[in-house]
Amino acid sequence: MTQSQKFGLDREIEERVNAKFDPEQERQAVQWLEVVTETRIGSIYPGLKNGVALCRLANKLKPRIIRKFCERPNHVLEERENIKSYLNACVSLGLRSQDLFQVDDLHSRKYLASVLANIFSVGRQAQVIPGFQGPKLGVTNYVSLE
């Protein structure tokens, strides 16, 4: 169902969700991701849809936290599995459940604001990961969430 086909409460909910997505925050997040992962992303969607850049991000923050992921996914299931692996890595990095998103939020482009919030949470947590010397994203975090 496209936005033009939604009516009433469904449309109102979609408009509220979309209003939370900040293009300036997206620009900052994408720039940070591209520097850290050394990967061209372009935008949150479709740039992160296959999960490859997210898995690379997790492994840059903590080497081999994701031991195996599909670098060149050819199927939707491989893309979704990459995103799941990234979300599991986020938990291992110390992120709280409220800092995560659902696979469909990204893969089906349902709620990109939660994906963006997750990236900022990862950026904040990266600042207290021993050995990570990359750029900062968002507010300075002084205490690990672990």
Side-chain angles (χ1 to χ4, degrees):
M1 185 181 293
T2 65
Q3 184 174 357
S4 62
Q5 295 174 321
K6 291 185 180 179
F7 299 97
L9 185 59
D10 288 337
R11 179 147 186 159
E12 185 179 326
I13 290 170
E14 183 172 322
E15 287 171 356
R16 285 184 184 177
V17 165
N18 290 338
K20 292 181 180 181
F21 188 81
D22 183 352
E24 175 57 24
Q25 284 187 333
E26 179 188 27
R27 186 195 62 72
Q28 293 171 11
V30 167
Q31 183 179 27
W32 181 76
L33 283 163
E34 289 179 340
V35 169
V36 173
T37 64
E38 301 170 354
T39 303
R40 174 79 173 107
I41 296 166
S43 65
I44 297 289
Y45 191 91
L48 300 179
K49 181 181 179 263
N50 66 14
V52 173
L54 294 173
C55 290
R56 288 180 183 161
L57 171 64
N59 282 338
K60 288 283 187 172
L61 298 177
K62 190 170 183 181
R64 299 195 37 80
I65 194 167
I66 301 176
R67 296 196 185 278
K68 184 178 179 183
F69 66 95
C70 187
E71 285 276 355
R72 292 185 181 87
N74 293 316
H75 193 274
V76 67
L77 294 176
E78 293 172 329
E79 294 175 348
R80 295 176 67 81
E81 192 60 37
N82 281 350
I83 297 169
K84 286 179 192 176
S85 296
Y86 164 76
L87 292 169
N88 289 333
C90 286
V91 172
S92 297
L93 290 171
L95 267 68
R96 300 168 298 188
S97 61
Q98 61 263 34
D99 293 327
L100 303 178
F101 59 88
Q102 300 297 312
V103 172
D104 276 346
D105 291 343
L106 173 58
H107 198 268
S108 298
R109 198 178 189 175
K110 286 190 174 178
Y111 190 34
L112 295 180
S114 68
V115 177
L116 190 55
N118 166 265
I119 294 167
F120 271 84
S121 295
V122 170
R124 193 171 44 252
Q125 183 67 4
Q127 298 172 37
V128 295
I129 294 174
F132 179 71
Q133 299 296 319
K136 294 181 179 182
L137 177 67
V139 178
T140 301
N141 192 6
Y142 294 104
V143 180
S144 172
L145 296 175
E146 292 183 327

